Amino acid sequence: MASNDYYRLLGVARNAGDDEIKSAYRKMALKYHPDRNPGNDEAEANFKEINEAYEVLSNSDKRKIYDQFGAEGLKNGGGGRGGFGGFPGADMGDVFGDLFENLFAQGGGQRGQPRSRRGADLKYEAQITLEEAFNGVKIPVSFDRTELCAECDGTGARGKTGVKKCPTCRGAGRVQYSQGFFAFSQACPECGGQGEVITSPCKACGGQGRSKKGVSINVKIPAGVEEGAVLRVSGGGDAGAKGGASGDLYIEVRLKHHSHFERNKRDLVYECPVAVWQAALGGEVDVPLIEGGRTKIKIPSGTQHGKTFRVSEKGMPGPGGRPRGDLMVKVKLEIPHDLTPRQRELFSELAGLAGHEVPEEEKGFFKKILGQ
Ligand SMILES: [Zn+2]
Ligand SMILES: [Zn+2]
């Protein structure tokens, strides 16, 4: 881009107005800004040149001189090259507004703020029984997490004398450097933005300020919690670094298998064994309840396998005090397999009534075992 023609550098016509120059410069400066082109020497050179061009063209006095005599004309008494504010005509805040603030923010945090880091989130899987999910439960959760070192209170330094003001940034946490007539600021490389350096590290944590520790906390799991539900314990995760906030602890709830009930959202399903004669004749069957105890339900004569009966509001609790779900009692017909001789007799009589021939060998078998 090496050219001394300031108009060409900015890509504007010689009669361009102030606004046009401003907007052209803004575009170019953003394109070649060192923060956007790290390690690119050419971009840096271009950036310097367009700064120089804008410095002149944005100032009506200088522009006049430049228009008449060229860059040479400004070398004599054109005014020294100042930093910010050296030229009344060039109001950089006006040109860039918040855009440059964004660029700086990308470059590393806010001015003078230590670069704190939030602690990591942790995940824990909690196994509970269906009864615990029904009643709600407080469970102890034991895990390892990073905590602030108790010895040094997280500073990483041995006592108050273990730190000193950072000599590079003099405690500010940021350092400035100039480029053209811009002053840039970045986190201090010596102290990482802390403003302090540790001269004598804490023995307990080796200067880290944090250490892993086994902890046990009680976590309340609300009644009605569902399989796979995730509870958040705010601030229960790893401690933050350099004064950063703690991470969160996430508890994923797993329900243990239950010997009687399957869960279907707020309903519970109970597979109820019913003897074949009971199903045929009808009667009462005994059903367990999640809250403990049992209840009896009536089944009509001729109940089929798989038929489901609903017991209202004997399921899991609803969220926020909503009514309980239902208990679904699903009939599972049990065909007897170890018949007593008498039962066998009755069944074959039933079979005869229904027009079924009992096989010959079966008859022989009956005779044998019945001693006939
Ligand atoms: Zn320590
Ligand atoms: Zn420093």
Side-chain angles (χ1 to χ4, degrees):
M1 192 148 67
S3 161
N4 269 339
D5 188 335
Y6 291 154
Y7 292 98
R8 261 178 61 193
L9 278 171
L10 294 182
V12 294
R14 293 193 81 83
N15 61 356
D18 287 348
D19 285 348
E20 206 179 329
I21 288 171
K22 193 190 272 185
S23 119
Y25 168 67
R26 185 186 154 114
K27 250 182 246 160
M28 297 289 229
L30 287 176
K31 185 174 166 194
Y32 293 115
H33 195 285
D35 279 4
R36 288 202 168 166
N37 304 276
N40 182 340
D41 290 345
E42 205 192 338
E44 196 179 324
N46 289 345
F47 188 67
K48 278 182 184 159
E49 283 188 305
I50 56 172
N51 278 335
E52 197 179 290
Y54 183 67
E55 205 175 308
V56 171
L57 297 188
S58 63
N59 179 302
S60 56
D61 293 337
K62 289 186 170 194
R63 187 175 173 183
K64 247 179 243 163
I65 297 171
Y66 175 77
D67 284 347
Q68 284 180 9
F69 306 107
E72 288 301 311
L74 288 161
K75 288 211 169 125
N76 310 313
R81 178 160 296 193
F84 262 119
F87 299 91
D91 182 353
M92 303 325 283
D94 176 27
V95 176
F96 289 104
D98 55 3
L99 254 169
F100 255 26
E101 274 168 38
N102 288 343
L103 277 173
F104 285 128
Q106 282 163 22
Q110 284 171 332
R111 170 178 296 227
Q113 288 284 314
R115 276 204 266 178
S116 60
R117 201 154 33 82
R118 187 177 177 273
D121 292 334
L122 299 176
K123 201 178 145 190
Y124 182 91
E125 209 177 275
Q127 293 241 346
I128 62 170
T129 64
L130 193 62
E131 281 85 355
E132 288 171 333
F134 173 80
N135 291 308
V137 65
K138 219 176 200 176
I139 53 163
V141 170
S142 301
F143 58 102
D144 285 349
R145 76 176 167 200
T146 302
E147 297 212 317
L148 288 185
C149 172
E151 200 67 31
C152 63
D153 219 14
T155 62
R158 194 186 306 179
K160 282 213 162 64
T161 52
V163 288
K164 67 167 189 189
K165 202 188 249 185
C166 171
T168 305
C169 63
R170 291 186 209 94
R174 297 194 71 84
V175 286
Q176 303 215 346
Y177 64 99
S178 306
Q179 187 113 59
F181 66 162
F182 279 100
F184 293 91
S185 118
Q186 66 172 25
C188 171
E190 167 102 14
C191 63
Q194 289 298 291
E196 286 180 335
V197 286
I198 293 170
T199 49
S200 169
C202 165
K203 260 189 184 165
C205 63
Q208 293 302 304
R210 308 190 302 166
S211 56
K212 273 253 190 266
K213 217 177 139 194
V215 290
S216 183
I217 59 172
N218 283 316
V219 174
K220 195 169 173 265
I221 296 181
V225 70
E226 293 202 20
E227 160 72 19
V230 178
L231 309 172
R232 190 173 73 122
V233 181
S234 181
D238 280 349
K242 321 281 185 200
S246 289
D248 296 330
L249 171 66
Y250 289 91
I251 303 206
E252 189 167 354
V253 176
R254 295 270 164 229
L255 295 187
K256 288 182 190 161
H257 178 77
H258 196 276
S259 53
H260 290 330
F261 302 110
E262 288 236 11
R263 187 178 184 173
N264 182 15
K265 297 201 173 107
R266 273 156 67 197
D267 292 340
L268 290 174
V269 180
Y270 171 61
E271 228 178 36
C272 182
V274 176
V276 69
W277 46 82
Q278 210 175 3
L281 299 170
E284 270 185 342
V285 292
D286 212 28
V287 172
L289 296 171
I290 183 69
E291 59 261 55
R294 308 181 78 82
T295 189
K296 284 190 188 310
I297 65 161
K298 278 202 168 75
I299 58 165
S301 158
T303 292
Q304 302 295 309
H305 177 74
K307 168 88 178 159
T308 301
F309 298 94
R310 182 184 293 265
V311 187
S312 273
E313 297 191 18
K314 289 294 178 192
M316 296 297 279
R322 287 235 217 39
R324 284 172 67 177
D326 299 332
L327 172 61
M328 313 299 287
V329 180
K330 194 174 171 192
V331 170
K332 185 184 166 213
L333 272 196
E334 301 236 296
I335 311 298
H337 42 82
D338 288 318
L339 291 177
T340 62
R342 175 68 181 139
Q343 283 171 335
R344 210 168 264 281
E345 200 181 16
L346 289 172
F347 266 110
S348 39
E349 208 179 314
L350 272 175
L353 274 177
H356 287 291
E357 271 306 311
V358 179
E360 278 306 313
E361 62 269 36
E362 284 285 288
K363 272 185 186 157
F365 175 76
F366 285 139
K367 283 204 177 103
K368 202 159 71 192
I369 57 169
L370 295 175
Q372 287 171 356

